[in-house]
Amino acid sequence: MRSPQVPNGGLLSRSRTVAPAGWSRWLVPPAALSVHLSIGQAYAWSVFKPPLEKALGLSGTESALPFQLAIVMLGLSAAFGGTLVERKGPRWAMAVSLLCFASGFLLSALGAATEQFWLIVLGYGFVGGIGLGIGYISPVSTLIKWFPDRAGLATGIAIMGFGGGALIASPWSSRMLESFGADSGGIATAFLVHGLAYAVFMALGVLLVRVPADGWRPAGWTPPTEERAMVSTAQVSARNALRTPQFWCLWVVLCMNVTAGIGILEKAAPMIGDFFADTSTPVSVSAAAGFVALLSLTNMGGRLVWSATSDAIGRKNMYRVYLGVGALLYLLIATTGGSSKPVFVLSALGILSFYGGGFSTAPAYLKDLFGTYQVGAIHGRLLTAWSTAGVLGPLIVNRVADSQEAAGRSGPGLYSLSLFIMMGLLVVGFVAGECIRPVHPRFHEPAAEGGTADAPAGSENGTEVPDGSQQRLA
Amino acid sequence: MAPSSASPDPAAPRRTWLAVLVWLWVGLPFAYGLYELVLKATQLFTD
């Protein structure tokens, strides 16, 4: 029976974003980057904390609320909005992200101008947070479809952008506050300019993004005819993916890798100071700030370099490196880090590059395991591991550091237990990674009549029926 | 449907200018952020 044709649905609809003949796939990463470089601003929220605390009389905990709510909303909107993003297409998702993220800043501007902090929490945290989650997953499945031969590189470029967003926003926001003033009026103006500037910057992504036509392939590339052990040609829906052990093993892998990375990130500046406080070469405050900046640089570089490397050596091997070598680097810091600054710095840089790589390799690994069918939606659900680690990591590190200080320890001794805990978490992640096997065929989608492996009962022209499965429309 | 590919289509417009424009659009702010970060990172070696 033929289903009724769905109307085209305007400029934002998926059907209006199908690339014309000859469209270069290298135009798609800038579209993704314009969104990720913008929403990555979230990690530069700390710039606004001291002025907000002073202008509105807030505590440090209160001024962190907009950021914390934004991260929670990121996880929730990515997890629950993923299927909608797959169905509506990347242009719709980027437009929603733009609207939420920019209007979040505008609401915050109103909140700062009227000195109503709850408006800033609602604007930046709730509304803006939805923009973060939808924006984060918006280009993932599109990039994977354009770069089936280099999925790791493509997702690495986009997710590197999220890390790069804070690099741009941090000095930019600081200079803006210097110019406008750090009182409530100045903060309101800064929020207003942020909202307008990010709306313009993200508009490029909305206008530029294209999905490949059905059956499109890169020139000279043919899909592998032989099934590789860990690269499936079958497709799995987001709903079915949640029922597979592979999804949950990868969830544990990501959660452990992120938690371990946060272990360094959270305490980087005081840690390097304490490690070398009693040596002949103590680390100054500005050198510690330089160390933190270097960590950010390798976190970002790792997202691109390691994810691209995974295209060559395979995702499973790449995660073996992140988790196995990462655990060894933690061991190196715990045992010899206090006696050698180069060993300490290089090990920390390695760990942070693996932390970044873990994020950007995940979508490509999901594509290998579950196919391209609903990979964006599956990725959205996987990001709950990030939200969990975001709570778990700082909790472990701060609590252990406080208890060690209370026990009278100092120098490297303050962090030894934390380092061994992080190493243990990476070992747990390594074991979970080893448990990942190809997905059982009972979870695969049935191939569409006359369709290809890349386009089963696909979402390209499909609609979701009440039981969650997809049916191709005539 | 037969698979299409990225092989050059003589009828398709070249979009070199668009590629340069959009990569500059994202590349310039990124380069600014990177420059600021490198300036800060060098403090580790100069102090």
Side-chain angles (χ1 to χ4, degrees), chain B residues 19-45:
Chain B
V20 171
L21 184 76
V22 297
W23 277 102
L24 281 175
W25 182 268
V26 294
L28 288 177
F30 187 68
Y32 160 72
L34 210 57
Y35 169 72
E36 292 281 345
L37 185 74
V38 169
L39 280 187
K40 204 185 267 184
T42 50
Q43 291 173 354
L44 176 63
F45 308 103

Side-chain angles (χ1 to χ4, degrees), chain A residues 156-172:
Chain A
I157 291 173
I159 292 171
M160 179 191 70
F162 193 78
L167 304 190
I168 300 168
S170 185
W172 185 56

Side-chain angles (χ1 to χ4, degrees), chain A residues 20-23 26-27 29-30 34 37 164 167-168 171-172 175 200-201 204 208 214-217 219 284 286-287 290 293-294 297 300, chain B residues 1-7 9 12-13 15 18-19 22-23 25-27 29-30 32-34 36-38 40-45 47:
Chain A
W23 187 263
W26 290 102
L27 291 171
S34 75
L37 284 172
L167 304 190
I168 300 168
W172 185 56
R175 298 228 164 108
V200 172
F201 192 71
L204 175 91
L208 188 67
D214 276 344
W216 178 89
R217 284 175 197 163
S284 68
S286 63
L294 209 55
L297 204 61
M300 202 178 57
Chain B
M1 180 182 163
S4 55
S5 80
S7 54
D9 176 356
R15 297 186 179 87
L18 181 62
V22 297
W23 277 102
W25 182 268
V26 294
F30 187 68
Y32 160 72
L34 210 57
E36 292 281 345
L37 185 74
V38 169
K40 204 185 267 184
T42 50
Q43 291 173 354
L44 176 63
F45 308 103
D47 279 334

Side-chain angles (χ1 to χ4, degrees), chain A residues 53-293:
Chain A
E53 286 163 21
K54 206 170 163 192
L56 304 183
L58 304 171
S59 67
T61 311
E62 286 169 329
S63 68
L65 260 179
F67 170 75
Q68 285 170 334
L69 181 60
I71 295 299
V72 169
M73 290 311 297
L74 185 158
L76 290 177
S77 56
F80 292 106
T83 312
L84 199 62
V85 168
E86 285 290 322
R87 198 163 71 233
K88 297 272 193 180
R91 180 175 285 173
W92 176 88
M94 287 179 179
V96 169
S97 175
L98 181 160
L99 275 176
C100 290
F101 191 61
S103 57
F105 269 114
L106 300 186
L107 276 172
S108 300
L110 187 65
T114 56
E115 303 196 353
Q116 298 291 316
F117 181 58
W118 67 271
L119 256 177
I120 300 176
V121 177
L122 175 75
Y124 189 88
F126 187 81
V127 181
I130 295 172
L132 296 187
I134 301 295
Y136 194 92
I137 58 173
S138 63
V140 167
S141 72
T142 304
L143 281 167
I144 287 175
K145 283 167 189 160
W146 276 111
F147 291 86
D149 50 338
R150 281 185 275 183
L153 171 74
T155 56
I157 291 173
I159 292 171
M160 179 191 70
F162 193 78
L167 304 190
I168 300 168
S170 185
W172 185 56
S173 306
S174 298
R175 298 228 164 108
M176 214 179 291
L177 287 169
E178 281 168 23
S179 305
F180 299 144
D183 57 350
S184 56
I187 299 168
T189 313
F191 280 150
L192 181 70
V193 174
H194 275 72
L196 297 176
Y198 280 125
V200 172
F201 192 71
M202 292 169 83
L204 175 91
V206 177
L207 297 172
L208 188 67
V209 74
R210 296 284 187 281
V211 294
D214 276 344
W216 178 89
R217 284 175 197 163
W221 181 80
T222 48
T225 45
E226 282 179 29
E227 182 109 352
R228 281 160 62 194
M230 290 300 293
V231 184
S232 174
T233 53
Q235 310 292 332
V236 180
S237 69
R239 191 176 164 161
N240 273 342
L242 288 187
R243 295 174 178 150
T244 64
Q246 287 80 1
F247 176 86
W248 293 105
C249 284
L250 194 53
W251 193 96
V252 172
V253 164
L254 188 66
C255 187
M256 296 299 114
N257 194 45
V258 176
T259 307
I262 289 174
I264 287 273
L265 265 179
E266 182 79 4
K267 287 280 181 190
M271 195 188 277
I272 193 169
D274 288 336
F275 257 77
F276 300 99
D278 300 327
T279 64
S280 57
T281 54
V283 177
S284 68
V285 174
S286 63
F291 173 61
V292 175

Side-chain angles (χ1 to χ4, degrees), chain A residues 353-418:
Chain A
S353 77
F354 296 156
Y355 165 81
F359 275 118
S360 53
T361 313
Y365 206 168
L366 291 174
K367 171 244 164 201
D368 287 357
L369 291 168
F370 303 112
T372 56
Y373 175 36
Q374 290 192 329
V375 67
I378 301 169
H379 184 224
R381 286 153 172 81
L382 188 75
L383 291 181
T384 52
W386 177 12
S387 306
T388 308
V391 177
L392 208 62
L395 198 73
I396 294 172
V397 174
N398 289 316
R399 194 157 285 186
V400 170
D402 289 348
S403 71
Q404 298 297 296
E405 206 169 351
R409 292 202 168 82
S410 63
L414 267 174
Y415 304 97
S416 298
L417 183 59
S418 290

